[in-house]
Amino acid sequence: VKNELKALQPVIKVTVENAVRNVLSKAVCSKEDIQNVVRSYADVTKESQKEVIQQAALSQSSKTVVESVVRKLDADKVEREKRRCNLVVLSAPEPSKDSTKEQKIAEDKEFCCSVLEIPSSNMETCWRAGKIDESKPEYRRPLIIKLKGEELVQEWTNNGVGLKTSTGHWINRDLCAADRKANFLSRQERRKRMEKKK
């Protein structure tokens, strides 16, 4: 099974590279960008390789392993497509508890326009991710903002790097779980390299 997994790695790599090309804008889709993301994605999948091999050993079926990997890649692709026009803002003030659902949306839109300075003409809608946790009164749910096009997402995230507003709020792309983890591992790797240079 290990040999079969090793043989599949080039196919999986090409699949990931093609998915990355579809997600990244042409402006930032260089060969180096793709290679970095693929390496990050490989780092993420390392954590689950042991579990996958154990499952394969129990089932004695390479088909099960392949189907599992393909399902994961497909699920990530669907999530990326759903989020491709979304921004996420952390630490945005929560709307008033006494407001209706419509009023809360209006308050969040007003925050986007007046504080983040995102024109209403750029936005389709916005909403909060997750539920309010009464045990954590200081917690603020992420604010998701759906824009009218990917080019606007690039503009408002500094080509995916992230944009800090004059009020101190960070505007980032709304990434799926796999990409968030890959970004986290990439940041950790950069920190390690910087520490070694000191």
Side-chain angles (χ1 to χ4, degrees):
V1 173
K2 289 183 179 179
N3 291 335
E4 291 177 353
L5 281 174
K6 187 175 181 180
L8 283 170
Q9 286 179 353
V11 177
I12 294 172
K13 181 179 178 182
V14 171
T15 303
V16 174
E17 287 180 347
N18 290 337
V20 171
R21 279 198 182 89
N22 291 334
V23 172
L24 295 176
S25 72
K26 293 181 180 178
V28 296
C29 191
S30 67
K31 184 176 181 181
E32 184 180 355
D33 291 325
I34 295 169
Q35 289 175 341
N36 287 339
V37 175
V38 170
R39 280 197 295 270
S40 298
Y41 195 92
D43 289 339
V44 174
T45 57
K46 276 181 183 177
E47 297 180 9
S48 59
Q49 282 180 357
K50 184 177 179 181
E51 182 181 351
V52 170
I53 292 173
Q54 287 174 339
Q55 290 175 351
L58 290 172
S59 65
Q60 294 296 312
S61 171
S62 59
K63 182 180 178 181
T64 302
V65 176
V66 173
E67 289 176 347
S68 176
V69 172
V70 170
R71 278 197 301 272
K72 175 60 178 171
L73 291 174
D74 286 345
D76 289 342
K77 184 176 180 180
V78 169
E79 277 299 306
R80 289 189 188 98
E81 180 63 23
K82 284 167 55 178
R83 300 165 185 256
R84 66 187 177 86
C85 290
N86 293 356
L87 303 175
V88 60
V89 179
L90 304 179
S91 302
E94 286 280 350
S96 173
K97 291 182 179 180
D98 299 327
S99 300
T100 64
K101 182 179 179 180
E102 290 74 18
Q103 288 173 333
K104 288 179 179 179
I105 293 174
E107 287 180 40
D108 280 335
K109 284 185 176 179
E110 176 60 25
F111 173 83
C112 294
C113 295
S114 61
V115 179
L116 302 180
E117 299 181 345
I118 299 176
S120 58
S121 59
N122 287 182
M123 295 188 294
E124 281 194 11
T125 187
C126 63
W127 66 91
R128 294 283 175 160
K131 296 181 180 180
I132 294 176
D133 189 345
E134 299 293 346
S135 66
K136 300 177 181 178
E138 299 301 318
Y139 175 69
R140 296 174 177 181
R141 295 170 296 162
L143 175 60
I144 310 297
I145 307 164
K146 186 175 182 65
L147 300 184
K148 293 184 177 180
E150 285 187 83
E151 68 282 356
L152 291 171
V153 173
Q154 294 299 322
E155 177 184 340
W156 284 100
T157 60
N158 192 20
N159 286 325
V161 176
L163 182 68
K164 189 175 183 180
T165 68
S166 58
T167 56
H169 294 91
W170 277 97
I171 302 176
N172 289 296
R173 295 184 64 181
D174 181 24
L175 302 176
C176 66
D179 291 343
R180 288 198 301 272
K181 197 167 187 179
N183 278 5
F184 173 74
L185 291 173
S186 295
R187 289 196 299 272
Q188 281 190 321
E189 185 62 30
R190 282 198 300 271
R191 288 194 192 102
K192 288 179 182 177
R193 289 199 299 266
M194 290 175 67
E195 287 173 0
K196 287 180 180 178
K197 290 180 180 179
K198 292 180 180 179

